[in-house]
Amino acid sequence: MRRQARFEAAGKISATEAGEWFERSRCLIRQALAQRLNRAADIDDLAQEVYLRLLRVPRPDLVRNPQAYLYRVAINVAEEWRARAAQSCDHSSEALQNLSAHDDLEGDASQHQRAQAVQRALEALPDASRTAVVLHVRDGMTYEEVAQHMGVSRRAVKRYVAKGYAALRLRLDAFASGSGFADADR
Amino acid sequence: MTDNSVPIEVTEAAAHWLDRLRSAQGSDGAPLARLRNEFADWLLRSPVHVAEFLRLSALETDLIQALQTRPDWDAALPVPDTAKVLRLSELAPERPRPFAPRTVKTRRRWAMAAAAAGFAATAWLLQSTFRADPPTVATALGEQRSILLADGSTMMLNTSSAARIRITSETRQLDLLRGEMLVDVAKDAARPFRVLSGDLVIEAAGTRFNIHRRADATVVTVIEGRVLLDRRLSERTPTPGMVADGARASVATATKRLELSGGQQAAVPAGAAPVEPVPANLERATAWTERRLVFEHETVGDITAQFNRYNHSRLLIADVGLASRQITGVLDVNDPDAFVALLEELDSIEVRLTPEGHREIWLGSRRRE
């Protein structure tokens, strides 16, 4: 049962607005997105809705900054669904204009728990994947640079990172659903 | 859990896009126009792409936060044997870093040695778990599985497929027992990588290729790198029932190895010589990994057979004229309804449900009367 597609929110965002919004506080937006996705019951459902809205966006608007547009729409959809679930129809996209770092509803405690879960999941990765992920994410190295440092090909790095992400995601999903850590290497 | 079904190709692509969008941000802070265009195309191709990109965006943010709150993170890793384990702290990047400002040059060599030792140890550990009977992996109808092999290669199995895995310290071999797989081979000059499909041997160095074992032939498509096609020695003799001329020709050509490189495809009929390689439609050959079916001037009958490979409820085209109609398009393998809807657009059709729950498709009533 797919939720009925609603497009009005996507229509309200102008391309330049989304772009500026993104450039202004890239980091905060990523945080807001992560928080909302971590709370979303089903990311696949959410992505389906986001996808439908992206299809409706005029192409010139979308290509001006597709990443910004995608995040914007995803946050909108997540907020709308949350608002709908809380039976509050008062939601407006103005509230999203003023995203702040302290707008998290999770609280520091559960954020701390999540960070710990991420650390534990990282520790459980195979050496090569963990090294590649840490160098890439923490130290901001490109695949090329990681490849040089590890003495492997760029393609191997690409694979290590992807496999690392896939395994991390699996473990963190298990954490989010409260079932503890799944065995990711089935 | 839905995540298990995300193919590693999609994860790889999503991670790759995150990396490219980040590193392509110029002085004006905006990625290049062409990159943005390509990225938009990729997003719009499938909701699976959107989901994976969002997931990884969130995951990277979580990772950055987790790593920031514990700057001593790599020192706290469990270190069972310092000689064998790659220490992350040995791999300081050259650019300035907030923590651990040490010299780089001398440590680089250590890092290489440690890396080599670490990989060797890991590889050995993984191998030893495969010492027992060669495991067989199989997928049910509609199921796909991505499997990480002991040597770092990946194998993705399509629907209704089975493969036996034999990875030892000397050789790497997969037997494709039935169905289709996409193999991404890790480079290892000392251990050739072979895939067997019946009596056909496909040998590869570091490369990526797709093998589809059909009833009548095995179709090999190379996406990247090169592979060699050969027959197993014991089975090079022709089958007794063959026509004399054909048999001679078959022996002569079958003993010759056929080489395929990236972008090429060859269909090898069972027990016969491989045909000349032809240029392949790579998007189409690998579309199944994203659960899409790409058709280019294919008949309705062939397309129906493709859908029936993935779905329990079958479609039967009852009209020969309709079955031989050619169409072009991209469809979701999980969605036979969309295909039926497409047929409805082509012509007036009538769908009848059989007692077994399959659907028979007839041309519309006005045609038959």
Side-chain angles (χ1 to χ4, degrees):
Chain A
M1 22 153 250
R2 285 276 165 232
R3 287 170 181 82
Q4 179 114 50
R6 293 181 51 200
F7 303 112
E8 57 272 38
K12 275 182 199 159
I13 312 164
S14 80
T16 41
E17 185 203 330
E20 281 167 16
W21 167 81
F22 188 57
E23 301 313 331
R24 207 168 44 232
S25 53
R26 181 183 301 276
C27 194
L28 286 182
I29 284 153
R30 294 278 297 254
Q31 279 177 30
L33 177 75
Q35 281 168 7
R36 278 159 186 79
L37 290 189
N38 291 341
R39 271 183 284 112
D42 190 335
I43 298 182
D44 288 324
D45 273 0
L46 188 131
Q48 182 78 34
E49 173 73 20
V50 172
Y51 177 77
L52 289 174
R53 292 191 188 188
L54 289 181
L55 285 178
R56 291 273 302 241
V57 175
R59 177 134 188 127
D61 285 351
L62 180 62
V63 297
R64 210 160 294 155
N65 197 332
Q67 195 179 9
Y69 225 111
L70 171 69
Y71 290 165
R72 184 72 203 235
V73 173
I75 290 174
N76 275 0
V77 172
E79 283 298 311
E80 279 173 31
W81 284 9
R82 196 175 61 85
R84 217 177 306 165
Q87 292 298 319
S88 128
C89 304
D90 182 37
H91 168 73
S92 66
S93 70
E94 278 88 87
L96 297 172
Q97 303 280 4
N98 313 311
L99 278 175
S100 83
H102 303 293
D103 140 77
D104 69 300
L105 306 116
E106 271 187 302
D108 283 353
S110 76
Q111 223 174 346
H112 179 67
Q113 275 186 342
R114 181 148 187 104
Q116 281 191 328
V118 172
Q119 282 163 2
R120 261 178 295 160
L122 265 169
E123 280 163 21
L125 286 185
D127 287 344
S129 282
R130 186 181 52 226
T131 306
V133 166
V134 171
L135 292 178
H136 180 59
V137 174
R138 184 189 65 185
D139 301 336
M141 289 191 192
T142 61
Y143 285 174
E144 217 81 56
E145 291 168 317
V146 177
Q148 261 183 2
H149 279 283
M150 290 179 70
V152 296
S153 72
R154 190 177 174 285
R155 215 158 70 82
V157 170
K158 201 173 152 182
R159 205 179 307 136
Y160 290 147
V161 171
K163 280 174 187 162
Y165 280 177
L168 286 171
R169 211 185 39 204
L170 208 59
R171 280 168 192 273
L172 291 172
D173 276 2
F175 167 79
S177 61
S179 59
F181 287 94
D183 179 12
D185 328 293
R186 34 150 240 140
Chain B
M1 187 159 296
T2 50
D3 261 22
N4 289 346
S5 62
V6 179
I8 193 79
E9 277 74 23
V10 175
T11 308
E12 235 176 53
H16 181 61
W17 275 117
L18 273 171
D19 179 50
R20 281 181 75 187
L21 291 167
R22 189 175 65 182
S23 49
Q25 263 138 26
S27 48
D28 60 341
L32 302 165
R34 207 182 112 225
L35 195 71
R36 285 182 303 208
N37 255 305
E38 285 173 18
F39 175 58
D41 285 340
W42 181 78
L43 279 180
L44 294 180
R45 229 159 57 209
S46 159
V48 176
H49 292 176
V50 171
E52 192 65 358
F53 189 83
L54 286 175
R55 276 205 174 88
L56 293 196
S57 298
L59 178 65
E60 274 199 356
T61 311
D62 280 342
L63 279 171
I64 290 167
Q65 280 180 339
L67 291 168
Q68 270 170 355
T69 54
R70 225 167 109 190
D72 61 333
W73 187 79
D74 44 317
L77 283 178
V79 182
D81 183 343
T82 40
K84 279 180 184 164
V85 173
L86 171 63
R87 292 291 303 272
L88 292 167
S89 52
E90 317 253 289
L91 296 173
E94 284 183 72
R95 69 174 62 155
R97 224 176 80 185
F99 313 106
R102 286 169 260 164
T103 51
V104 174
K105 273 274 159 55
T106 46
R107 269 181 299 112
R108 177 91 59 83
R109 214 170 303 151
W110 274 107
M112 294 290 194
F119 292 142
T122 317
W124 180 82
L125 277 172
L126 288 168
Q127 257 166 45
S128 55
T129 60
F130 278 85
R131 290 262 161 82
D133 273 351
T136 301
V137 190
T139 50
L141 185 72
E143 187 194 4
Q144 292 182 341
R145 277 182 76 177
S146 185
I147 291 135
L148 172 59
L149 301 175
D151 67 323
S153 304
T154 49
M155 163 177 95
M156 186 162 172
L157 271 185
N158 200 358
T159 170
S160 303
S161 304
R164 197 180 292 123
I165 305 168
R166 302 167 200 262
I167 302 224
T168 68
S169 48
E170 290 90 36
T171 59
R172 302 181 287 172
Q173 184 179 316
L174 301 179
D175 293 344
L176 180 59
L177 305 172
R178 63 172 181 275
E180 180 167 25
M181 66 177 163
L182 180 79
V183 191
D184 201 337
V185 181
K187 275 212 171 65
D188 185 349
R191 281 189 294 171
F193 194 103
R194 291 193 185 93
V195 179
L196 270 61
S197 169
D199 65 340
L200 180 72
V201 184
I202 301 132
E203 189 176 316
T207 177
R208 219 166 115 79
F209 60 105
N210 191 75
I211 310 136
H212 185 186
R213 183 171 180 176
R214 300 194 313 219
D216 57 333
T218 296
V219 180
V220 182
T221 312
V222 181
I223 296 133
E224 239 179 85
R226 282 180 309 122
V227 304
L228 282 170
L229 304 187
D230 204 352
R231 297 224 166 262
R232 260 197 286 191
L233 260 162
S234 56
E235 290 172 41
R236 269 187 191 156
T237 45
T239 43
M242 283 179 94
V243 187
D245 282 356
R248 257 202 306 281
S250 160
V251 173
T253 44
T255 48
K256 245 197 303 179
R257 292 176 137 209
L258 179 72
E259 190 181 298
L260 287 185
S261 51
Q264 285 188 318
Q265 184 174 65
V268 189
V275 298
E276 278 304 296
V278 293
N281 179 340
L282 294 185
E283 197 198 343
R284 189 171 138 198
T286 57
W288 65 266
T289 62
E290 294 168 20
R291 300 189 77 83
R292 287 181 302 135
L293 293 172
V294 181
F295 308 110
E296 230 177 280
H297 305 297
E298 275 186 70
T299 64
V300 169
D302 286 345
I303 298 168
T304 307
Q306 289 281 320
F307 272 102
N308 290 342
R309 270 179 79 198
Y310 293 89
N311 297 286
H312 280 287
S313 104
R314 302 200 159 239
L315 294 176
L316 309 157
I317 305 293
D319 185 281
V320 184
L322 181 62
S324 58
R325 185 87 61 88
Q326 288 192 349
I327 56 176
T328 295
V330 181
L331 292 163
D332 182 346
V333 295
N334 297 320
D335 196 3
D337 295 348
F339 176 52
V340 174
L342 183 76
L343 293 179
E344 270 166 351
E345 276 174 31
L346 282 180
D347 213 328
S348 71
I349 56 165
E350 189 185 313
V351 181
R352 292 185 200 165
L353 206 61
T354 69
E356 302 84 37
H358 304 319
R359 280 181 288 183
E360 280 183 0
I361 296 169
W362 297 80
L363 270 186
S365 45
R366 70 185 155 81
R367 289 288 185 110
R368 282 183 295 113
E369 277 158 15

